[in-house]
Amino acid sequence: QVQLVESGVGLVQAGGSLRLSCAASGTIFSINDMGWYRQAPGKQRELVANITRSGSTNYADYVKGRFTTSRDNAKNTVYLQMQMNSLKPEDTAVYYCNAKSPLYSDGTQYNYWGQGTQVTVSS
């Protein structure tokens, strides 16, 4: 099992910056990709950023150039961070840290989620 614990302050004015953090513990050897998702009221959860075990990143078009995610694969804990700059009111959502296991030969893949962090960007 993998446990994900998020931290970060979630209220900022438009144009401001925030940093979200996520610490993964437990069977971290089973973690492959990690990432951030967000869910705004009345909308589906959507991918914001993804980072592979080796550090390759992928961003949703609406955050490219503004958000940066990084990962530190420490011995007993994996640390995931996301720096969010030039925030807009439309970035307001609950942000979730995610960790995925590899896709195993039987087709199984495990998804782990953080508790969620409310990010509110005021205009």
Side-chain angles (χ1 to χ4, degrees), residues 17-73:
S17 298
L18 283 176
R19 178 184 290 264
L20 299 182
S21 299
C22 175
S25 59
T27 55
I28 60 171
F29 60 85
S30 66
I31 294 175
N32 200 10
D33 288 4
M34 296 187 75
W36 297 94
Y37 288 72
R38 71 185 187 186
Q39 188 167 18
K43 294 187 177 181
Q44 289 190 330
R45 193 173 296 189
E46 59 186 8
L47 176 67
V48 177
N50 184 75
I51 184 166
T52 66
R53 182 189 288 266
S54 61
S56 297
T57 55
N58 181 47
Y59 297 94
D61 286 343
Y62 45 80
V63 302
K64 281 182 180 176
R66 299 190 297 125
F67 292 12
T68 303
T69 192
S70 60
R71 171 175 177 169
D72 180 9
N73 299 311

Side-chain angles (χ1 to χ4, degrees), residues 5-6 10 12 17 30 39 45 53 55 57 65 74 96 98-99 101 107 117:
V5 178
E6 299 181 37
V12 69
S17 298
S30 66
Q39 188 167 18
R45 193 173 296 189
R53 182 189 288 266
T57 55
Y96 295 92
N98 170 261
S101 73
T117 300

Side-chain angles (χ1 to χ4, degrees), residues 73-115:
N73 299 311
K75 183 177 180 181
N76 297 313
T77 306
V78 179
Y79 298 98
L80 181 70
Q81 291 189 328
M82 185 163 69
Q83 179 67 38
M84 304 185 291
N85 299 326
S86 302
L87 282 160
K88 304 175 182 180
E90 51 264 44
D91 293 319
T92 295
V94 178
Y95 285 72
Y96 295 92
C97 172
N98 170 261
K100 291 181 173 58
S101 73
L103 181 62
Y104 296 109
S105 58
D106 64 355
T108 303
Q109 184 176 41
Y110 297 98
N111 264 288
Y112 304 98
W113 296 95
Q115 78 274 21

